[in-house]
Amino acid sequence: MKLQRYVAVAGAGLIATATLAACGSNNNGPAASGSSSSAGASSSASSASGISCGSGTLTLAGSSAQKNAIDKFTKDYQAACSGATINYNPSGSGAGVTSFEQKQVDFAGSDFPLSGADVAKADARCTGGKAVDLPMVPGAIAVMYNVSGVTAPLNLSAQTLAKIFTGKITTWSDPAIAKDNSGVTLPSTKITTFHRSDKSGTSFNFSNYLNQTDAADFPSKANKQWPASSGQGQNGSSGVAQAVKSTSGGIGYAELSYASANNLQTAKVGNAQGQFVEASTANASAFIAKAKVNQTGNDIQLAFDYTYSDPNSYPAVLVTYEIACDKGNDATQLPLIKGFLSYMSSTTAQAELPTAGYVSLPANIQSLVATAVGNLG
């Protein structure tokens, strides 16, 4: 694997890959078909919005974590560009990358940068160019729970969470949870944990957070396939959220937008220094803003220091990436590919992400992504 294609996972005091976020194949819909358009793509500026409009049809697939953001971007772009049609299949990160490699989609959404064999396969698809990772939609991974009678947000340290998700803590009245929540009356309700059953960037990043902050209690290394053996698997982030909502004593992890949509309580989680931090877009943004940017050409990847200590920086985060060709794009599709990606990476579109439960890219990263998009050919 080329050095620029990956970021080493952090150990104590080391830097870890952001490879953030949320899900792999959740099979929420049929596989995306190849893109086609009866009208050749062309570019023009929308006088009302300044958006660079392409015409034709984009066929996209990938991360379900960014689905709500893509839906919003699509609605706004198509409203400004009457000749554009954008179809996004939230098939999951793995399926999206495969579709990109097989030239079935114009670009793909993934919760982690390209790695391993996918690098060569994706590069081969880009005639005369290389596939690049473009960070686009950041978010917080919320710990959602359903505990009757508990109204205030619970504090859950990394150590407590690690023991819950490995089956070492089995009731909500456990002394470890009580220690995190002094003065809170906790029921003896049985804990039921839910995790993603499919390969998921959310699982990768949440397991990475637990492993990097408490390797003793969560020794499993970060993995797209949930690495702990206990708990019940559910398909997709929506499946995890719905299972928690319908189960007394349930707990699970998903993007903050799914917790909000299902009116689920979210915990304040512990960072490496033992501080409890609320899952909010502002706190996630503060953590993401400290990211180290690893850039080679138009390929941009983010890395985080999980030892970073700040009571207002939420450490369980993700970033979805758009996987695209830096060169070698279909000439008829290029204006629409660049037009839509340019809008997605614009300050206007990024500013709308918090209203949908996501996090805006920090200004310095947003500027780099916008420049990289402008260089696509």
Side-chain angles (χ1 to χ4, degrees), residues 156-195:
L156 295 174
S157 67
Q159 292 76 20
T160 299
L161 284 169
K163 292 174 182 177
I164 288 174
F165 280 95
T166 53
K168 298 173 185 176
I169 292 177
T170 59
T171 63
W172 283 102
S173 57
D174 188 275
I177 300 177
K179 182 180 178 181
D180 288 345
N181 297 276
S182 178
V184 177
T185 300
L186 297 166
S188 58
T189 307
K190 176 185 175 182
I191 294 175
T192 302
T193 62
F194 296 99
H195 58 265

Side-chain angles (χ1 to χ4, degrees), residues 227-320:
S229 58
S230 62
Q232 299 181 24
Q234 298 292 323
N235 195 44
S237 291
S238 59
V240 173
Q242 290 165 10
V244 172
K245 186 173 184 177
S246 62
T247 304
S248 177
I251 185 172
Y253 59 89
E255 298 75 38
L256 183 59
S257 59
Y258 286 91
S260 301
N262 286 277
N263 296 313
L264 287 166
Q265 290 182 298
T266 59
K268 293 182 178 180
V269 308
N271 62 18
Q273 304 303 319
Q275 299 161 316
F276 294 108
V277 187
E278 178 185 359
S280 70
T281 56
N283 289 344
S285 179
F287 189 82
I288 292 169
K290 297 293 184 179
K292 177 184 177 181
V293 179
N294 294 294
Q295 181 172 9
T296 301
N298 295 314
D299 184 80
I300 302 170
Q301 299 180 26
L302 309 181
F304 297 100
D305 181 357
Y306 283 95
T307 67
Y308 179 62
S309 176
D310 185 334
N312 296 311
S313 294
Y314 187 78
V317 296
L318 59 88
V319 169
T320 66

Side-chain angles (χ1 to χ4, degrees), residues 78-256:
Q78 290 182 160
C81 305
S82 59
T85 299
I86 298 162
N87 298 314
Y88 184 74
N89 176 15
S91 57
S93 298
V97 170
T98 298
S99 295
F100 177 77
E101 293 167 353
Q102 296 176 350
K103 297 187 177 183
Q104 295 175 340
V105 296
D106 295 292
F107 64 84
S110 176
D111 302 325
F112 30 83
L114 291 169
S115 63
D118 283 321
V119 174
K121 291 178 182 177
D123 284 350
R125 174 258 163 84
C126 302
T127 306
K130 293 183 178 297
V132 293
D133 305 286
L134 302 170
M136 197 67 73
V137 181
I141 302 174
V143 175
M144 315 168 292
Y145 61 90
N146 178 359
V147 184
S148 179
V150 177
T151 56
L154 289 175
N155 296 327
L156 295 174
S157 67
Q159 292 76 20
T160 299
L161 284 169
K163 292 174 182 177
I164 288 174
F165 280 95
T166 53
K168 298 173 185 176
I169 292 177
T170 59
T171 63
W172 283 102
S173 57
D174 188 275
I177 300 177
K179 182 180 178 181
D180 288 345
N181 297 276
S182 178
V184 177
T185 300
L186 297 166
S188 58
T189 307
K190 176 185 175 182
I191 294 175
T192 302
T193 62
F194 296 99
H195 58 265
R196 291 284 294 274
S197 59
D198 51 318
K199 290 183 179 180
S200 158
T202 316
S203 291
F204 182 97
N205 289 285
F206 188 61
S207 61
N208 197 35
Y209 154 70
L210 292 176
N211 176 257
Q212 297 304 320
T213 51
D214 184 25
D217 293 307
F218 199 92
S220 301
K221 297 295 185 181
N223 200 307
K224 291 176 282 187
Q225 191 71 60
W226 180 246
S229 58
S230 62
Q232 299 181 24
Q234 298 292 323
N235 195 44
S237 291
S238 59
V240 173
Q242 290 165 10
V244 172
K245 186 173 184 177
S246 62
T247 304
S248 177
I251 185 172
Y253 59 89
E255 298 75 38
L256 183 59

